[in-house]
């Protein structure tokens, strides 16, 4: 894995992975390695089947930076280096050792990643009606994951799918 360091607005050094990654990635903001923990589909630590995936841990780091800057009244972070291609996306926040759901909102409409992650980072953190808005005090215990939706398929009927074959991570 080729890694480079990048500093966010919260002043924490973070590892940026530039190798392959999965359709979903997550990180925790609890210490200096908060953007190092990446989860991959089906528990693979590499790219299953040699697929070139889009999601990387820098996206989660960016979400943490957006939330941190918002909660502390700083200017939003500068545009990230990852792709700005349009994707349907979801930002999920979990909290604590047991990683309880703390917020999850996204869109099935494709959005450019930079603006989409900015928008849905704050929407999922502050406007998920199931939870009160997140606070500064929660930041050290938060985990973030980003999901990009790809390979949509038209179907003729809402029952037009098979368990175990239609939906594959």
């Amino acid at each position: 894995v080729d890694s480079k360091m990048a500093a966010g607005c919260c002043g924490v050094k973070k590892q940026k992975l530039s190798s392959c990654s999965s359709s979903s990635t997550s990180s925790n903001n609890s210490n200096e390695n908060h953007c190092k923990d990446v989860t991959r589909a089906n528990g693979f630590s590499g790219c299953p089947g040699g697929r070139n995936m889009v999601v990387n841990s820098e996206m989660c780091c960016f979400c943490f930076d957006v939330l941190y800057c918002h909660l502390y009244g700083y200017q939003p972070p500068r545009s990230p280096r990852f792709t700005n291609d349009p994707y349907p996306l979801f930002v999920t926040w979990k909290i604590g050792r047991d990683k309880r759901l703390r917020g999850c909102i996204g869109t099935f409409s494709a959005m450019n990643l930079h603006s989409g992650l900015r928008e849905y980072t704050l929407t999922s953190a502050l406007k998920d009606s199931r939870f009160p808005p997140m606070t500064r005090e929660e930041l050290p215990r938060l985990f973030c994951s980003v999901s990009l939706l790809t390979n949509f398929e038209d179907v003729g009927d809402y029952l037009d799918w098979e368990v175990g074959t239609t939906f594959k991570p």
Side-chain angles (χ1 to χ4, degrees):
V1 173
D2 178 27
S3 64
K4 298 177 183 169
M5 300 304 283
C9 72
C10 50
V12 177
K13 292 287 186 176
K14 314 178 274 228
Q15 185 176 32
K16 178 173 59 175
L17 303 176
S18 60
S19 68
C20 59
S21 60
S22 176
S23 60
S24 180
T25 188
S26 67
S27 66
N28 171 273
N29 193 22
S30 62
N31 59 37
E32 289 186 3
N33 294 320
H34 73 273
C35 294
K36 190 174 180 179
D37 177 32
V38 178
T39 56
R40 308 215 189 265
N42 295 329
F44 287 103
S45 60
C47 288
R51 294 179 293 180
N52 187 16
M53 303 306 254
V54 176
V55 172
N56 63 51
S57 62
E58 187 182 1
M59 293 175 185
C60 294
C61 294
F62 178 67
C63 293
F64 269 111
D65 286 346
V66 168
L67 180 59
Y68 182 95
C69 290
H70 177 83
L71 291 175
Y72 282 89
Y74 296 138
Q75 290 294 317
R78 65 180 185 265
S79 292
R81 294 182 190 159
F82 56 77
T83 182
N84 195 28
D85 293 341
Y87 287 94
L89 59 94
F90 282 78
V91 176
T92 303
W93 296 99
K94 294 186 179 182
I95 192 164
R97 290 183 183 169
D98 56 350
K99 297 183 180 178
R100 294 179 320 272
L101 182 65
R102 185 60 182 83
C104 179
I105 296 181
T107 179
F108 288 107
S109 299
M111 295 185 71
N112 289 337
L113 283 178
H114 297 176
S115 60
L117 288 176
R118 281 183 202 276
E119 179 179 340
Y120 283 97
T121 289
L122 296 177
T123 301
S124 62
L126 306 172
K127 296 182 180 178
D128 188 326
S129 62
R130 299 170 291 180
F131 306 99
M134 288 182 191
T135 65
R136 294 177 187 180
E137 294 74 30
E138 292 176 292
L139 280 171
R141 300 175 314 171
L142 287 173
F143 293 83
C144 178
S145 57
V146 168
S147 299
L148 303 181
L149 309 179
T150 61
N151 302 322
F152 282 97
E153 196 176 297
D154 289 331
V155 295
D157 188 305
Y158 75 98
L159 295 174
D160 189 13
W161 59 278
E162 279 183 51
V163 174
T165 60
T166 304
F167 300 106
K168 294 180 183 178

